[in-house]
Amino acid sequence: MYIGRLFRSSDLQWAWRAAFLRCIQSRRRGAHRWTHSGGSAYRAVIFDMGGVLIPSPGSVAAEWEVQNHVPSGTILKALSKGGENGPWMRFMRGEITTGDFLQEFGRLSSEISKTTVPVDSFFSLLTSKQVAQQFPVMTEAISQIRAKGFQTAVLTNNFYLASGKSFLPLDRSQFDVVVESCLEGVCKPDPRIYQLCLERLGRQPSESIFLDDLGPNLKAAASLGIRTIKVNDPETAVKELESLLGFLLHSGVPNTRPVRKTMEIPKDALQKYLRDLLGTQTTGPLELLQFDHGQSNPTYYIRLANHQLVLRKKPPGTLLPSAHAIEREFRVMKALASAGVPVPRVLDLCEDSSVIGTPFYVMEYCPGRIYKDPSLPGLEPSQRRAVYAAMNRVLCQIHSVDFQAAGLDGYGKQGDYLPRQVQTWTKQYRAAETSTIPAMERLIQWLPLHLPRQQRTAVVHGDFRLDNLLFHPEKAEVLAVLDWELSTLGDPLADVAYSCLAHYLPSSFPLLKGVSDRDLTQLGIPTAEECFRMYCLHMDIPPVENWNFYMAFSFFRMAAILQGVYKRSLKGQASSASAEQSGKLAEFISNLAWDFATKEGFRIFKEMPAAKPLTRSCHTRAGPQSLLSPTGTRSYSSVSGAPPAHTSKGALVFSVEGLSPQVRELYDRLQRFMGQHVYPLEPELQRHQASVDKWTPSPLIEDLKIFNCSAPDTGNMEVLVRYGTEEQKARWLAPLLEGKARSCFAMTEPQVASSDAANIEASIREEEGFYVINGHKWWTSGVMDPRCQLCIFMGKTDPQAPRHQQQSMLLVPMDTPGIKILRPLSVYGLEDAPGGHGEIRFENVRVPKENMILGPGRGFEIAQGRLGPGRIHHCMRLIGFSERALALMKARVKSRVAFGKPLVEQGTILADIARSRVEIEQARLLVLKAAHFMDVAGNKAAALDIAMVKMVAPSMASRVIDRAIQAFGAAGLSSDYPLAQFFAWARALRFADGPDEVHRVTVAKMELKRPT
Ligand SMILES: Cc1cc2nc3c(=O)[nH]c(=O)nc-3n(C[C@H](O)[C@H](O)[C@H](O)COP(=O)(O)OP(=O)(O)OC[C@H]3O[C@@H](n4cnc5c(N)ncnc54)[C@H](O)[C@@H]3O)c2cc1C
């Protein structure tokens, strides 16, 4: 049943029906909230279709865009493009054919997203049987409305399908009147179509209620005098409709239906069993319904005499090992009830399969309210907070149960919960695997290597989510915790992480609504971090450091579950058509899990002590086995001669084809991300950099901020990781890694030749527990950025010490008094906003002594350690600029014609292209080799290779970009193309992090030391 909640999230809705009835009755008594109680003035209810009776195109689009990597919002933008005369409205007025519409729609979508959008696939999904299904709550409401003698109509903006039929996936017999825009040639919000509908109903506007999800359509109806209801979610809308009509729209048990053919159970046998169980006075017919979406364990509603019960049974057919353990659910609920945990009262477990075909158990009806939407619509912020606090409290209550005293001693193995869980879910996933999901493969390798030590053993619920809790209808109190199928003894923190899943899922996420795109502060909902903190506080335990691991594991498990449902749906064993969607979603969720694994990786990295570098002992050889990649394409690799522990880091790969599947997947994702999100923004970013707001970070970059690998932040992070104390890391490294703060590095001084760092003059003086700094710095990159919070400052603590022990580095908060930014410097007229390169004066700036890094006199040593990784990053970026420049050049020379033929046919252009390709490849190989040495032998051992690439890459890039500029003609110098900016950056990098000459000196000196 646990997984069923992903699909229906409310199959125990029946449970709060009684409470709801009570609530309605008491409200009626209070009267003031129920404006139309009793004799209603209304006689007809008019329903829009998409978004009211069936899912809206917007919600289908949101899901489809996620799954097809189409930028979010593209479909809706394309649909609204052109307004009244746009293709969508013309299509809905029946003026154009499906083919013409799709062509126009595809063109607009691609224009908006700057990528090809397979709109045919969206259209098929929108009109598929699987998606275009009427909401059960609406079906029930319509039948109640008609039973009371009211009229019903559907008034829809719809269209013709390619088959020539209009798109109306509804049972027409539910409505007295059906008005379709494509047949009438008029669309909402045109008043004529509402009037037409009223005429056919024979009703006045004041006698009608109209439900739609779109504001303009409602506004038009309201202006005619029709009462309107805005539909955000069907269930809330039905409640509003109930209040207007003055009667209930749920006759039976919500979210139930007649028992499916394949899920039938022998009623006579069940009735006999229940009579034996409940006593002979239990007479009368047995009413049996099935909850809508029983995915895991089919669940039934039973009414027999005055008893209302729920029966849960194992599904028929061959089952995955250890799944569907309803006997365990029964046992744990029984034990926990005695221990005071709120759970439904279980009556009996019947393990005898001969009674109804499979084992089952029966429990009592439990009135209450289930919150299906974690954003808790309709509640006040303080009520929302109280609901989440109650959820947290009940979890603490479960975890505080003395399981031995409760008789649950052998309910699960003690200890090693996570290793066993990872193993179990890996097995379950493997048993259900239908194709390779790269993130799952990575997680299967990563999780066992990063298992935390279990601190406590407790009863864990295993599927602890808001919609598994039955709340008191009037206050924030949990009346019953449901769905115990996955419960066992284990690590309670896994439950805490699982309870936060919705925090990381978007509200448009199909199957399980999330709140990741909602403003939690405004809603009053605690963040996931706050939930963790609240839990630790209640349980009186220290803060949980590694909760990203627990989140990664929780999402991994969810992905494995979804894959299981998908596999069963392929076999026709799962009981819902929407199970098929779960296959695609398994991949989405596994990517989320991997994001958390990456975050946990960063945390561990942050805490790692500086690694001991190896001595330089690597050589390159081409292994015969590495020449042919598994795909059959040629690739090249070298194998390090370093000790085995380091060779495990892998061979040097020279080509995209040679990448491992995991890295290849990352590479492809990156390419897609650049294509979809980064390149299209370039012109806008350039405009921002030239605008008056240039010193404020562009919101576009803020939105996209995912790489967090800019200079000088990465270099500064390296310094803190390698040389910072725990306190320094906690204060400065964490916000930098999280991308919440930026930083700068102040070494270069205008008055001295700073390519020789020993020359710098700024002073660091010790004074009463503080260091006082004075100095004049320039070319301090990033200092202008309003987010810059930290400056790593290099100055002299002891001018009398040996030449390379005079300097020290200090962490200087940017808001310390005495720091004066004099001006931004420009590079070929470009100011590189919002980070900029500033000229600064430090005048009597006082910082606490604990801000010293590594110790006085260690500055030179730190500078050496810092610059290696920073330099190679610059070189990697330069290879990127060069590739971009060459790509732009190739496109330009193919389309530009001079002297009667395209430029590409000119011999000099061909020669330039060839030179550029060769030079890029030469530099790339050197960069890859240096990076490989850094990985396997450490930065110090790779010093020669780093110096070589820093000497080669900027000049190479300058030449390649210069050739591209030349091929573009004057346009290449303009800001219409990124080439001029690339050139300026490449040229500047012949100075930044040391001028070329200094690196040449390093290379030459090392070469001279080599034995001849
Ligand atoms: C875009 C950009 C960003 C920068 N960001 C930062 C930053 O964030 N923080 C920071 O502290 N600094 C930064 N710098 C400064 C940079 O590190 C220095 O410019 C560089 O170290 C050279 O120092 P200098 O400008 O004082 O040149 P000088 O030391 O005056 O050298 C001038 C020239 O002398 C020649 N020369 C120097 N040494 C030798 C030699 N051994 N043999 C032969 N010729 C030699 C070279 O041609 C050199 O260009 C940045 C520079 C640029 C352009």
Side-chain angles (χ1 to χ4, degrees):
M1 178 156 170
Y2 56 94
I3 190 60
R5 298 231 168 261
L6 292 177
F7 296 86
R8 66 192 128 81
S9 26
S10 69
D11 62 355
L12 286 186
Q13 282 285 306
W14 60 273
W16 59 273
R17 179 178 167 259
F20 176 64
L21 281 167
R22 271 209 319 269
C23 175
I24 274 198
Q25 279 150 11
S26 68
R27 280 180 184 178
R28 279 191 186 145
R29 280 194 292 277
H32 60 276
R33 292 203 214 166
W34 296 83
T35 46
H36 288 268
S37 63
S40 169
Y42 305 111
R43 301 309 312 156
V45 182
I46 306 170
F47 295 87
D48 166 43
M49 183 167 71
V52 174
L53 298 176
I54 62 170
S56 71
S59 64
V60 179
E63 178 190 335
W64 179 85
E65 284 167 348
V66 170
Q67 285 168 8
N68 290 278
H69 309 290
V70 169
S72 140
T74 301
I75 294 291
L76 275 190
K77 273 187 212 147
L79 290 181
S80 52
K81 197 99 184 169
E84 272 294 285
N85 295 317
W88 179 232
M89 290 302 265
R90 281 191 285 139
F91 187 37
M92 291 196 297
R93 288 196 298 265
E95 292 167 6
I96 54 173
T97 64
T98 315
D100 290 347
F101 164 70
L102 286 177
Q103 205 177 3
E104 267 291 273
F105 176 43
R107 189 185 58 74
L108 288 173
S109 304
S110 302
E111 226 172 72
I112 291 164
S113 64
K114 312 265 185 301
T115 173
T116 314
V117 180
V119 289
D120 287 18
S121 122
F122 165 70
F123 192 70
S124 323
L125 180 72
L126 181 71
T127 53
S128 66
K129 276 202 181 122
Q130 176 197 339
V131 165
Q133 280 189 20
Q134 188 163 316
F135 299 122
V137 64
M138 285 297 181
T139 311
E140 198 172 358
I142 292 168
S143 76
Q144 288 307 306
I145 294 168
R146 300 193 90 199
K148 291 271 176 191
F150 283 64
Q151 286 174 298
T152 54
V154 62
L155 169 55
T156 174
N157 282 359
N158 68 347
F159 43 80
Y160 284 112
L161 296 168
S163 64
K165 287 189 183 154
S166 64
F167 175 63
L168 196 89
L170 305 171
D171 173 1
R172 288 172 184 259
S173 69
Q174 301 172 97
F175 306 100
D176 299 286
V177 166
V178 174
V179 180
E180 300 177 72
S181 65
C182 62
L183 264 66
E184 307 301 340
V186 186
C187 267
K188 288 177 287 184
D190 188 323
R192 287 175 299 168
I193 199 159
Y194 301 87
Q195 275 150 355
L196 191 73
C197 184
L198 290 171
E199 265 168 37
R200 291 187 187 164
L201 282 166
R203 291 288 160 204
Q204 292 300 315
S206 59
E207 293 177 302
S208 314
I209 303 171
F210 173 61
L211 291 91
D212 201 304
D213 58 327
L214 300 178
N217 294 352
L218 292 164
K219 209 170 154 192
S223 68
L224 292 173
I226 303 174
R227 179 69 193 236
T228 57
I229 293 180
K230 169 110 172 60
V231 182
N232 292 321
D233 87 283
E235 298 206 1
T236 316
V238 165
K239 281 187 195 145
E240 207 177 320
L241 189 56
E242 275 172 341
S243 77
L244 289 181
L245 294 173
F247 54 85
L248 280 180
L249 295 177
H250 292 290
S251 67
V253 183
N255 299 308
T256 58
R257 54 161 73 204
V259 177
R260 283 190 187 87
K261 271 257 167 311
T262 51
M263 297 283 171
E264 271 173 1
I265 45 181
K267 259 185 162 182
D268 290 349
L270 179 63
Q271 193 150 1
K272 180 177 173 319
Y273 162 83
L274 289 174
R275 288 223 173 96
D276 291 347
L277 179 71
L278 303 168
T280 44
Q281 74 279 21
T282 316
T283 52
L286 178 136
E287 189 187 346
L288 189 64
L289 295 167
Q290 186 179 356
F291 287 101
D292 266 329
H293 311 277
Q295 286 290 325
S296 178
N297 293 328
T299 307
Y300 301 82
Y301 169 81
I302 301 168
R303 196 196 301 262
L304 181 60
N306 59 347
H307 293 278
Q308 291 188 79
L309 309 166
V310 173
L311 179 150
R312 261 160 77 72
K313 70 187 277 289
K314 294 195 182 214
T318 325
L319 307 176
L320 285 176
S322 79
H324 314 283
I326 57 143
E327 307 83 358
R328 289 173 58 80
E329 277 181 57
F330 180 83
R331 177 180 170 195
V332 75
M333 281 200 268
K334 199 167 175 186
L336 291 179
S338 315
V341 175
V343 285
R345 197 165 87 85
V346 288
L347 299 179
D348 191 42
L349 168 70
C350 175
E351 293 181 275
D352 179 357
S353 295
S354 69
V355 179
I356 61 162
T358 64
F360 66 96
Y361 72 91
V362 180
M363 57 184 155
E364 262 185 7
Y365 161 83
C366 174
R369 176 175 185 183
I370 290 173
Y371 294 110
K372 295 191 297 171
D373 182 340
S375 70
L376 303 176
L379 297 194
E380 295 291 315
S382 61
Q383 292 173 318
R384 293 195 186 98
R385 183 161 275 278
V387 165
Y388 275 88
M391 176 182 181
N392 208 285
R393 264 198 313 277
V394 84
L395 186 59
C396 294
Q397 209 180 338
I398 297 167
H399 292 167
S400 305
V401 167
D402 179 343
F403 60 87
Q404 278 149 341
L408 290 170
D409 214 357
Y411 189 60
K413 290 187 188 144
Q414 291 184 30
D416 283 346
Y417 171 73
L418 284 168
R420 283 184 287 111
Q421 281 280 306
V422 169
Q423 227 178 18
T424 305
W425 288 107
T426 303
K427 261 197 221 150
Q428 300 264 19
Y429 171 72
R430 289 286 185 227
E433 201 173 357
T434 46
S435 62
T436 303
I437 300 179
M440 286 304 267
E441 296 306 317
R442 289 197 295 272
L443 287 158
I444 287 169
Q445 282 183 11
W446 185 89
L447 287 165
L449 295 175
H450 294 85
L451 291 163
R453 206 163 52 83
Q454 187 171 329
Q455 305 291 338
R456 280 183 66 239
T457 299
V459 173
V460 293
H461 179 277
D463 192 16
F464 192 82
R465 294 188 282 127
L466 189 63
D467 59 354
N468 272 338
L469 304 181
L470 212 61
F471 275 83
H472 190 286
E474 307 286 326
K475 53 185 179 185
E477 184 191 323
V478 177
L479 298 179
V481 183
L482 312 171
D483 267 4
W484 289 87
E485 189 184 352
L486 290 182
S487 62
T488 184
L489 298 183
D491 187 338
L493 294 179
D495 266 352
V496 191
Y498 198 79
S499 71
C500 294
L501 289 184
H503 278 83
Y504 299 99
L505 295 171
S507 53
S508 62
F509 188 72
L511 317 178
L512 175 63
K513 261 186 171 207
V515 289
S516 66
D517 51 349
R518 309 296 304 268
D519 183 340
L520 297 189
T521 319
Q522 202 182 27
L523 287 173
I525 296 175
T527 60
E529 287 88 341
E530 283 176 276
C531 291
F532 263 87
R533 271 204 300 275
M534 215 190 293
Y535 175 86
C536 295
L537 209 71
H538 283 148
M539 295 297 288
D540 197 18
I541 56 169
V544 181
E545 298 283 334
N546 52 352
W547 67 282
N548 280 323
F549 173 89
Y550 287 93
M551 291 308 308
F553 164 69
S554 295
F555 277 114
F556 168 73
R557 194 173 67 155
M558 185 177 176
I561 291 171
L562 286 166
Q563 183 63 31
V565 176
Y566 177 52
K567 178 82 181 274
R568 288 208 303 285
S569 80
L570 294 181
K571 281 194 197 159
Q573 201 179 325
S575 43
S576 165
S578 59
E580 212 180 303
Q581 288 188 8
S582 54
K584 288 181 195 151
L585 296 172
E587 186 162 2
F588 175 81
I589 292 295
S590 64
N591 282 329
L592 258 181
W594 183 246
D595 286 348
F596 279 103
T598 312
K599 280 190 203 158
E600 178 62 5
F602 266 116
R603 191 191 65 82
I604 296 169
F605 173 69
K606 183 178 87 180
E607 289 175 357
M608 251 171 23
K612 255 195 176 168
L614 289 176
T615 51
R616 186 182 169 84
S617 65
C618 292
H619 64 272
T620 307
R621 66 181 158 85
Q625 76 285 13
S626 63
L627 285 176
L628 217 55
S629 78
T631 53
T633 48
R634 204 171 167 78
S635 67
Y636 303 89
S637 70
S638 77
V639 178
S640 157
H646 296 277
T647 53
S648 70
K649 292 207 177 186
L652 170 56
V653 178
F654 296 156
S655 67
V656 173
E657 291 76 18
L659 295 173
S660 69
Q662 290 97 321
V663 180
R664 179 64 196 256
E665 205 255 329
L666 265 184
Y667 172 86
D668 290 339
R669 266 175 70 191
L670 180 67
Q671 291 285 357
R672 277 201 302 276
F673 181 79
M674 296 298 289
Q676 286 177 7
H677 300 287
V678 179
Y679 299 141
L681 287 188
E682 266 178 357
E684 186 48 44
L685 290 176
Q686 230 170 23
R687 264 197 296 281
H688 182 80
Q689 280 202 317
S691 74
V692 283
D693 295 328
K694 64 183 168 189
W695 296 110
T696 311
S698 160
L700 296 172
I701 289 284
E702 284 294 282
D703 284 351
L704 284 180
K705 183 162 71 181
I706 60 152
F707 295 119
N708 196 18
C709 62
S710 309
D713 293 316
T714 48
N716 290 345
M717 291 186 222
E718 292 266 355
V719 168
L720 287 161
V721 168
R722 290 169 160 263
Y723 309 112
T725 62
E726 284 315 304
E727 291 73 30
Q728 289 170 346
K729 283 184 200 170
R731 171 68 186 86
W732 299 111
L733 181 59
L736 282 174
L737 282 171
E738 287 165 11
K740 290 183 181 156
R742 306 299 298 262
S743 62
C744 63
F745 181 75
M747 182 196 74
T748 305
E749 298 174 358
Q751 70 280 13
V752 293
S754 302
S755 33
D756 178 359
N759 278 349
I760 61 154
E761 291 177 343
S763 72
I764 303 179
R765 207 166 19 87
E766 208 180 321
E767 199 181 283
E768 296 157 1
F770 282 84
Y771 284 116
V772 179
I773 60 183
N774 280 285
H776 186 183
K777 300 282 182 183
W778 73 346
W779 292 103
T780 306
S781 301
V783 73
M784 311 295 295
D785 193 309
R787 297 161 300 181
C788 180
Q789 294 180 14
L790 170 71
C791 173
I792 298 189
F793 179 92
M794 187 162 173
K796 279 191 174 164
T797 26
D798 183 1
Q800 310 311 320
R803 192 169 145 78
H804 292 122
Q805 288 164 29
Q806 298 172 1
Q807 305 78 7
S808 304
M809 280 198 199
L810 272 180
L811 296 166
V812 183
M814 280 304 294
D815 56 2
T816 317
I819 302 177
K820 286 194 187 114
I821 301 175
L822 305 179
R823 60 169 176 150
L825 296 151
S826 65
V827 175
Y828 287 120
L830 302 170
E831 285 177 318
D832 228 352
H837 312 282
E839 182 174 349
I840 323 175
R841 255 188 210 291
F842 292 81
E843 286 172 2
N844 294 322
V845 176
R846 287 163 74 87
V847 291
K849 275 184 79 175
E850 53 270 25
N851 285 20
M852 174 68 73
I853 311 176
L854 209 56
R858 311 283 297 269
F860 220 85
E861 185 184 335
I862 301 169
Q864 293 305 312
R866 177 187 187 277
L867 290 176
R871 282 175 185 156
I872 198 155
H873 289 164
H874 279 319
C875 296
M876 289 168 172
R877 281 188 277 264
L878 287 162
I879 305 272
F881 292 164
S882 310
E883 285 287 6
R884 246 349 262 297
L886 181 55
L888 288 167
M889 175 180 175
K890 286 191 296 187
R892 177 77 170 190
V893 296
K894 280 183 200 159
S895 64
R896 199 88 172 159
V897 176
F899 301 103
K901 53 184 177 180
L903 288 176
V904 74
E905 289 176 21
Q906 304 288 353
T908 52
I909 297 278
L910 289 173
D912 278 355
I913 290 174
R915 267 195 214 115
S916 292
R917 170 50 62 213
V918 169
E919 288 177 13
I920 295 173
E921 288 311 308
Q922 288 174 331
R924 188 204 313 278
L925 287 174
L926 208 52
V927 170
L928 285 171
K929 181 172 168 242
H932 188 60
F933 273 133
M934 289 171 83
D935 280 349
V936 299
N939 300 350
K940 201 167 171 191
L944 171 63
D945 305 86
I946 296 169
M948 289 200 286
V949 294
K950 183 63 183 31
M951 188 185 129
V952 165
S955 314
M956 176 284 294
S958 300
R959 286 194 303 275
V960 170
I961 298 163
D962 190 51
R963 285 183 202 120
I965 291 176
Q966 193 68 19
F968 263 75
L973 297 172
S974 75
S975 54
D976 288 0
Y977 298 94
L979 293 170
Q981 203 172 26
F982 287 174
F983 184 81
W985 283 334
R987 185 65 186 83
L989 283 170
R990 292 187 60 198
F991 294 114
D993 278 0
D996 292 355
E997 290 82 354
V998 171
H999 304 300
R1000 280 187 220 143
V1001 169
T1002 307
V1003 173
K1005 280 185 178 164
M1006 290 179 95
E1007 180 61 27
L1008 287 167
K1009 278 190 199 156
R1010 279 163 79 120
T1012 42

